[in-house]
Amino acid sequence: MITIYKSEADIPQNLELIILNDVYFNKNTVEMLDERAKDIMQEIDGACMVGKYRIESKFHKVVLDIDRLSTGCKTVLNVMYNLDKVFCIKECGENALDLLYGLQAGHVFSDFPTISFDMKQVKVSCQGNTVVINDYEALKEWWME
């Protein structure tokens, strides 16, 4: 399950916070992509990976560079492939959040509630305490404190 931080001060010093998901993906994560990325790209953007750096868009099947993926898709892939980093999720849409909240591991940050309606279970970390939350309303309440 993912771990959520709502304050930069709560992020452990051994984890780097990444705010610019597009830039990080284009410079780093793109090199790590494997078969697991295909399903994520398809589900979030409706894109089909047709090469290491190319995707086929759902719009008229146009072939584009992989940097044309949405920021939400890039964020989910960043979290999935870089377990030693914390990624800001403020730019994720609902479709990306649904997949993000279902990941088995990863670290994310947002200083305001950014919650998937389909959330099942997450870890939240605040002031040195880590708690598991498995309810949408309880997570929203934690974020609002």
Side-chain angles (χ1 to χ4, degrees):
M1 81 187 81
I2 62 169
T3 301
I4 302 171
Y5 304 94
K6 66 178 174 180
S7 169
E8 288 186 44
D10 291 324
I11 298 172
Q13 291 193 2
N14 65 325
L15 296 175
E16 179 184 3
L17 173 61
I18 307 297
I19 300 293
L20 302 174
N21 282 294
D22 281 304
V23 173
Y24 192 86
F25 177 87
N26 294 342
K27 289 187 174 195
N28 300 285
T29 305
V30 71
E31 298 295 331
M32 302 174 185
L33 300 181
D34 56 23
E35 291 297 312
R36 299 178 296 160
K38 290 181 178 183
D39 290 337
I40 301 294
M41 290 178 198
Q42 180 63 46
E43 191 156 344
I44 296 174
D45 285 353
C48 179
M49 194 171 173
V50 294
K52 181 75 174 166
Y53 305 107
R54 308 285 278 173
I55 57 170
E56 184 179 271
S57 169
K58 67 180 177 182
F59 302 106
H60 306 294
K61 306 236 181 249
V62 175
V63 176
L64 304 167
D65 290 336
I66 202 163
D67 67 345
R68 299 299 202 156
L69 289 169
S70 69
T71 302
C73 187
K74 289 178 181 181
T75 301
V76 172
L77 292 169
N78 282 340
V79 172
M80 195 168 106
Y81 284 94
N82 299 278
L83 299 177
D84 61 336
K85 309 252 186 281
V86 179
F87 292 92
C88 180
I89 59 172
K90 293 178 184 180
E91 295 179 295
C92 290
E94 287 182 38
N95 56 349
L97 287 174
D98 289 345
L99 284 177
L100 184 72
Y101 272 76
L103 293 178
Q104 296 300 312
H107 302 273
V108 299
F109 164 79
S110 180
D111 51 5
F112 60 83
T114 311
I115 308 171
S116 166
F117 288 114
D118 293 335
M119 64 100 28
K120 302 288 186 258
Q121 191 173 57
V122 297
K123 290 181 195 173
V124 295
S125 185
C126 184
Q127 299 176 345
N129 297 317
T130 301
V131 177
V132 174
I133 295 178
N134 56 14
D135 176 72
Y136 176 90
E137 290 299 326
L139 180 58
K140 186 175 177 183
E141 184 178 313
W142 170 82
W143 231 309
M144 299 306 278
E145 290 177 356

